Amino acid sequence: MPLRFLKRGEPDVQDVKAPRTERSRREDRFEQDLREALRGQKVEVLGPVVLRDVLAFTITPDRPKGALEQLSQVKVDFALINPRTQVPFAGLILSSRAYGRDRRRPPTPTTEDAGAQRAIVTVLHLNPNLLPDAAAIHEALRPYLS
């Protein structure tokens, strides 16, 4: 960018871009679709979150039946929280080879201590490319919302 010196009396005019209104990245669309899929449910969505001292029931594409393990911390892209008790019951990790983290998000995620109630948190590994809209996300999360 070249330097531009102002002359006396000349107004300072800078190129101002309009704020970005529509999100274009895949994970941004996934977040919008996730919030739409959970509208009407008694669920709060937080993201990104580090859950500490967790009993995690981890479900991956390789292990669809899942495995229960105690983890000192697990970093999830989205946490589903019961609004009445403020206890997380599910965590979503977006995983695919083409998935790139959004660099516009804050570098330090919020921290939830799930160890006080010792609740079991279901950690789902989801491929955002296989869930194109809110209906598909709702169908994937339906077994875990009861």
Side-chain angles (χ1 to χ4, degrees):
M1 176 179 228
L3 293 175
R4 196 171 145 247
F5 297 103
L6 295 177
K7 296 178 182 174
R8 286 189 185 164
E10 182 180 338
D12 184 17
V13 178
Q14 296 182 1
D15 296 330
V16 178
K17 294 181 181 178
R20 199 172 123 180
T21 57
E22 184 175 332
R23 297 178 177 185
S24 60
R25 295 183 57 95
R26 178 72 192 132
E27 57 273 11
D28 289 342
R29 287 197 316 261
F30 182 86
E31 181 177 3
Q32 288 177 341
D33 290 342
L34 175 65
R35 291 184 188 280
E36 171 131 357
L38 297 176
R39 187 175 306 162
Q41 302 280 334
K42 295 184 179 180
V43 174
E44 287 182 19
V45 178
L46 295 179
V49 177
V50 175
L51 300 173
R52 298 196 186 280
D53 193 22
V54 168
L55 282 173
F57 186 69
T58 306
I59 299 172
T60 62
D62 301 339
R63 295 185 299 182
K65 291 189 178 185
L68 185 65
E69 52 196 350
Q70 183 169 351
L71 300 173
S72 60
Q73 72 178 26
V74 61
K75 187 174 187 177
V76 296
D77 294 302
F78 300 100
L80 305 181
I81 301 208
N82 182 337
R84 192 169 44 89
T85 61
Q86 293 297 313
V87 175
F89 64 88
L92 306 178
I93 297 176
L94 302 182
S95 57
S96 77
R97 288 179 187 221
Y99 175 73
R101 300 247 183 240
D102 188 353
R103 290 181 176 84
R104 292 175 289 132
R105 287 193 175 165
T108 56
T110 58
T111 302
E112 288 286 327
D113 188 16
Q117 281 86 19
R118 299 300 291 168
I120 297 175
V121 177
T122 303
V123 178
L124 295 168
H125 289 256
L126 298 176
N127 185 342
N129 297 323
L130 300 177
L131 302 169
D133 58 0
I137 294 171
H138 183 69
E139 189 63 33
L141 295 178
R142 183 188 314 219
Y144 310 104
L145 293 175
S146 57

